[in-house]
Amino acid sequence: MPNTLIDDSNNALQKVIATKLARAVFAGFDAMFAEFLNITLGAQSRFEQRQYHDVQRAMRDRLQVYERQVKNVSEAVKIIAYQELDCPHTWQLAKNIYGDMVEHHENKPIAHTFFNSTFGAIWDDKKIRTVHLFVLKAKYRSEPRSFESLVSRISLQNGFETAISQLITTQMFRVPFCQLNADLKRLKQTLMQGAKHQCKQVYELINLNDGFIEYANSLFFRNKACYLIGRCIAKNGDNMPFAIAILNTEKGLKIDAVMMGADQLSLLFGFARTYFMVDTDQPARYVDYLSVLMPHKKRFELFNAIGFIKHAKTEFYRYKVDTTKNSPASFKYINAPGTPGMVMLVFTIEGSDYVYKVIKDKFSAPKTATKAQVKEKYNFVKQADRVGRLVDTHEFRYLAFDLSRFSEELLTQMKTHIDSSLVISGKALILKHVYVERKMTPLNLYINHCDKHALDHVMLDYGKAIKDLAGANIFPGDMLMKNFGVTRWGRVVFYDYDEICPLTQCNFRDVPQTQNALEELSSHSYFDIDENDIFPSQFKVFFSANAHAFECFNTHHSDLFTTTYWQQCQQQIQNGFLPDVYPYKQSWRFK
């Protein structure tokens, strides 16, 4: 009898502690969401005032909110839990109680992820069982919900021109449009032409003044632009998504471009862009809506696009597990295509659009960085304006894989190069630290199989990529073609970050002249070189294996081989200049 009383007392105490843990995590989630939203709410004001440096600061500040709140809650939980901090049963109770607390919460999936993050931060490298996490079970996966409260509709019964005018004038801005009538005329013509080529049913109903225009009530802000997202819908359900880009010029607002169809919207929501700021307390429903506009986009890509990058990781893990289970057993993890890296071991699986990158235990010469420095480089990219030229990465700790899916060749390489990051437990292979990136065709491989026209195009964009990064105060470091990839749009982006740094930290120099020919032939430098010294004239070595590629590149971008170009870029950055970088083709812009 006494033992029963003691057990009952212990169980009651555990429930009390677990309840407090759940309440603390829930309070932290609310605080995180409120701070995230408060920063987002200022997006329109910053846009209207053309405070573009503040836009970048706000983006960086918002990225810190989630981790800071997880840390705050973790500290609070350590005090609350005391002796029960390492008790799995207490945490299981806390998870169940927390699950009940958020069961009908508008943002339940994101709340689940916040609990996972807090639990992971406290347990760190201890054995974490998925029973303590909201991850794979069907009941933790949200089904698409109604988004009717997030959108408005305009009937076409009074004519398409009237509907277009209402679409734009309904938006509330403090700044007027500088040439509204001309913009509306061009917008109407462009949407009609787009519908004619992409969705004939919508085009026919536009001409019959039938159907309607639907648009998201919240505007999407990013960098120097504002985007109005929606679609033209026929009564039979056929529809054409669109995104209208609005800029704030010195003369006032103007419509700069319109993107039409899921593919063009996909470019706007691409994986090499910074995150949108969207004024909503219903982000999960917005993802449901965006999924309708871009059905080929994965949910984790859309959560990522609107700034909920931690929940995007949860969604990606589900996607990874599901696709592995549903793929043929013969599909194995293999080395990713391209030149093997000196710093990273990179692998992928057949049929996947993603690669996994693990920092090697020892770097190949001449690399001298440390693991910590490489991680810092990737963090630098996360905080930077990626201007459409830096691939976004998801950083995972203790990511589990199906061991049977690994080829023997890859397993041998992993044990050789990343043994300290590798754990094999039963049927699972676990990586203690890994980055996930979108898979692309390495540029050095792409140019070996493309025709002359494609080569000229990609070399033009290769130089533009370097210049776009320079304008954003980013120097790639190692600019070899193997470190750049080509997207399905033929766009060149950079993905190897171990030598990346702010452009203003570089010292661009000309190679000193010498009167002694023997000095130039020496294997050692005949002049002093500091760690941050960069010699643009030496960049030509990047093309040593392909004379045709160099000829194309040099035609468009010979200025990149001059010290003057880079020093001028540095001066512009120091003067506070922010270049215009558009996430859509120049040909789509209104003239």
Side-chain angles (χ1 to χ4, degrees):
M1 190 70 171
N3 289 336
T4 302
L5 291 175
I6 292 173
D7 289 342
D8 289 344
S9 176
N10 287 339
N11 290 337
L13 176 62
Q14 277 194 330
K15 188 171 183 179
V16 169
I17 300 301
T19 302
K20 290 183 178 182
L21 293 182
R23 288 172 60 199
V25 177
F26 183 73
F29 168 70
D30 269 353
M32 179 280 297
F33 198 90
E35 190 176 356
F36 183 98
L37 186 57
N38 282 343
I39 295 173
T40 303
L41 289 171
Q44 180 163 338
S45 180
R46 289 186 286 269
F47 168 76
E48 291 167 337
Q49 297 177 70
R50 306 179 74 237
Q51 295 176 333
Y52 300 130
H53 286 283
D54 288 346
V55 168
Q56 293 195 334
R57 276 190 288 272
M59 184 272 292
R60 289 191 292 269
D61 289 345
R62 199 176 70 165
L63 284 171
Q64 309 299 324
V65 169
Y66 191 97
E67 292 290 354
R68 182 166 60 247
Q69 285 298 339
V70 167
K71 183 178 180 180
N72 290 343
V73 173
S74 299
E75 294 302 316
V77 161
K78 288 175 183 177
I79 296 172
I80 294 166
Y82 185 36
Q83 293 179 334
E84 283 75 25
L85 185 65
D86 296 329
C87 174
H89 181 64
T90 302
W91 277 102
Q92 181 62 53
L93 284 174
K95 175 195 168 187
N96 295 339
I97 294 167
Y98 184 85
D100 291 339
M101 292 173 68
V102 303
E103 178 60 31
H104 302 292
H105 195 286
E106 170 61 36
N107 295 304
K108 178 173 74 170
I110 304 172
H112 282 172
T113 291
F114 191 83
F115 183 94
N116 295 346
S117 297
T118 304
F119 179 77
I122 290 170
W123 280 61
D124 195 29
D125 60 349
K126 302 183 184 75
K127 185 177 178 63
I128 297 177
R129 296 177 59 202
T130 55
V131 71
H132 298 118
L133 303 175
F134 298 94
V135 183
L136 293 178
K137 288 186 178 179
K139 65 181 180 180
Y140 302 145
R141 304 186 184 210
S142 57
E143 294 294 327
R145 296 175 294 172
S146 169
F147 48 76
E148 291 297 310
S149 63
L150 306 181
V151 299
S152 297
R153 294 189 177 95
I154 303 170
S155 172
L156 301 184
Q157 63 183 2
N158 294 321
F160 191 58
E161 184 174 350
T162 301
I164 289 296
S165 176
Q166 186 178 342
L167 172 67
I168 300 302
T169 56
T170 298
Q171 310 307 317
M172 295 290 104
F173 292 104
R174 297 183 181 94
V175 180
F177 282 84
C178 58
Q179 47 184 20
L180 182 58
N181 290 335
D183 282 355
L184 292 176
K185 182 178 179 180
R186 183 64 184 273
L187 178 60
K188 172 196 168 186
Q189 293 171 343
T190 307
L191 284 171
M192 289 189 73
Q193 285 299 311
K196 185 176 182 179
H197 290 99
Q198 296 192 32
C199 191
K200 290 185 177 180
Q201 183 71 24
V202 169
Y203 177 70
E204 289 170 3
L205 289 177
I206 285 174
N207 286 288
L208 293 172
N209 295 337
D210 205 351
F212 52 92
I213 294 175
E214 176 187 88
Y215 63 92
N217 295 328
S218 297
L219 295 165
F220 287 61
F221 294 91
R222 186 173 67 191
N223 291 343
K224 294 184 177 181
C226 163
Y227 299 91
L228 175 57
I229 308 288
R231 55 181 175 162
C232 299
I233 309 179
K235 284 192 173 179
N236 70 348
D238 287 352
N239 67 90
M240 182 186 72
F242 63 77
I244 300 169
I246 302 171
L247 302 183
N248 187 5
T249 72
E250 292 181 356
K251 296 180 180 179
L253 301 180
K254 76 166 186 176
I255 297 176
D256 190 62
V258 58
M259 287 134 276
M260 296 167 289
D263 280 346
Q264 291 189 8
L265 258 68
S266 178
L267 190 61
L268 179 64
F269 284 79
F271 56 82
R273 303 283 175 187
T274 46
Y275 313 113
F276 285 104
M277 291 205 173
V278 187
D279 172 10
T280 179
D281 54 5
Q282 299 177 298
R285 287 186 198 266
Y286 259 104
V287 166
D288 294 335
Y289 181 55
L290 293 171
S291 295
V292 171
L293 302 184
M294 295 171 283
H296 59 288
K297 278 280 187 185
K298 307 294 187 297
R299 287 181 64 83
F300 64 85
E301 295 175 306
L302 296 172
F303 272 110
N304 206 56
I306 61 174
F308 288 89
I309 57 178
K310 293 297 182 181
H311 184 65
K313 288 171 59 174
T314 301
E315 295 281 352
F316 174 81
Y317 182 68
R318 291 168 179 157
Y319 163 80
K320 168 188 164 297
V321 171
D322 291 346
T323 52
T324 302
K325 283 183 177 179
N326 296 328
S327 65
S330 59
F331 280 20
K332 301 285 187 180
Y333 287 105
I334 55 174
N335 286 303
T339 306
M342 298 178 180
V343 172
M344 294 282 194
L345 185 146
V346 187
F347 65 94
T348 186
I349 191 170
E350 295 175 71
S352 174
D353 292 329
Y354 296 87
V355 297
Y356 302 89
K357 304 174 69 171
V358 188
I359 304 174
K360 291 182 176 180
D361 294 335
K362 293 182 179 180
F363 303 159
S364 304
K367 300 289 186 179
T368 58
T370 64
K371 276 191 174 185
Q373 288 171 331
V374 173
K375 290 178 182 179
E376 188 55 38
K377 299 289 186 180
Y378 275 76
N379 187 54
F380 166 73
V381 171
K382 183 64 72 176
Q383 310 294 325
D385 181 357
R386 298 195 298 280
V387 294
R389 300 297 188 176
L390 295 174
V391 180
D392 195 14
T393 61
H394 288 299
E395 183 180 9
F396 285 90
R397 300 181 65 209
Y398 295 91
L399 186 61
F401 298 81
D402 180 351
L403 178 61
S404 69
R405 295 282 185 157
F406 285 81
S407 67
E408 285 301 322
E409 178 187 8
L410 180 56
L411 269 177
T412 300
Q413 291 184 27
M414 295 175 87
K415 291 173 182 177
T416 301
H417 296 295
I418 60 167
D419 190 58
S420 67
S421 299
L422 189 66
V423 177
I424 294 178
S425 177
K427 297 180 179 180
L429 183 149
I430 301 167
L431 292 175
K432 297 179 183 178
H433 185 260
V434 59
Y435 296 101
V436 181
E437 286 181 3
R438 189 66 178 257
K439 183 194 292 181
M440 287 163 292
T441 304
L443 181 56
N444 63 318
L445 299 184
Y446 181 90
I447 64 173
N448 291 332
H449 302 95
C450 65
D451 59 28
K452 188 177 185 303
H453 175 75
L455 178 64
D456 188 66
H457 169 80
V458 82
M459 285 296 105
L460 172 63
D461 205 55
Y462 176 31
K464 283 183 177 179
I466 296 170
K467 289 177 176 178
D468 285 346
L469 291 172
N473 194 23
I474 295 170
F475 183 67
D478 190 345
M479 293 190 292
L480 288 167
M481 283 187 277
K482 69 182 182 67
N483 297 326
F484 289 79
V486 183
T487 71
R488 67 187 183 95
W489 284 91
R491 187 174 177 82
V492 177
V493 295
F494 186 64
Y495 53 61
D496 194 323
Y497 302 149
D498 59 274
E499 292 189 14
I500 203 167
C501 68
L503 188 80
T504 48
Q505 289 184 3
C506 301
N507 181 33
F508 293 98
R509 297 175 57 188
D510 290 320
V511 176
Q513 298 293 321
T514 177
Q515 302 299 320
N516 188 336
L518 291 177
E519 287 184 336
E520 291 187 2
L521 296 173
S522 172
S523 60
H524 301 286
S525 175
Y526 59 87
F527 56 92
D528 292 334
I529 301 176
D530 290 333
E531 186 177 355
N532 64 338
D533 282 349
I534 308 291
F535 301 94
S537 63
Q538 302 298 301
F539 293 167
K540 295 176 184 179
V541 73
F542 299 153
F543 300 92
S544 58
N546 195 310
H548 293 299
F550 173 75
E551 182 181 354
C552 292
F553 188 90
N554 196 47
T555 299
H556 302 293
H557 301 295
S558 59
D559 51 349
L560 287 174
F561 302 125
T562 68
T563 301
T564 302
Y565 172 83
W566 295 97
Q567 291 176 343
Q568 287 176 343
C569 283
Q570 290 177 317
Q571 189 61 55
Q572 285 185 322
I573 293 166
Q574 289 161 356
N575 291 341
F577 175 73
L578 288 176
D580 297 323
V581 180
Y582 303 101
Y584 39 85
K585 295 183 177 181
Q586 287 291 319
S587 60
W588 299 351
R589 300 187 66 199
F590 291 2
K591 304 300 181 185

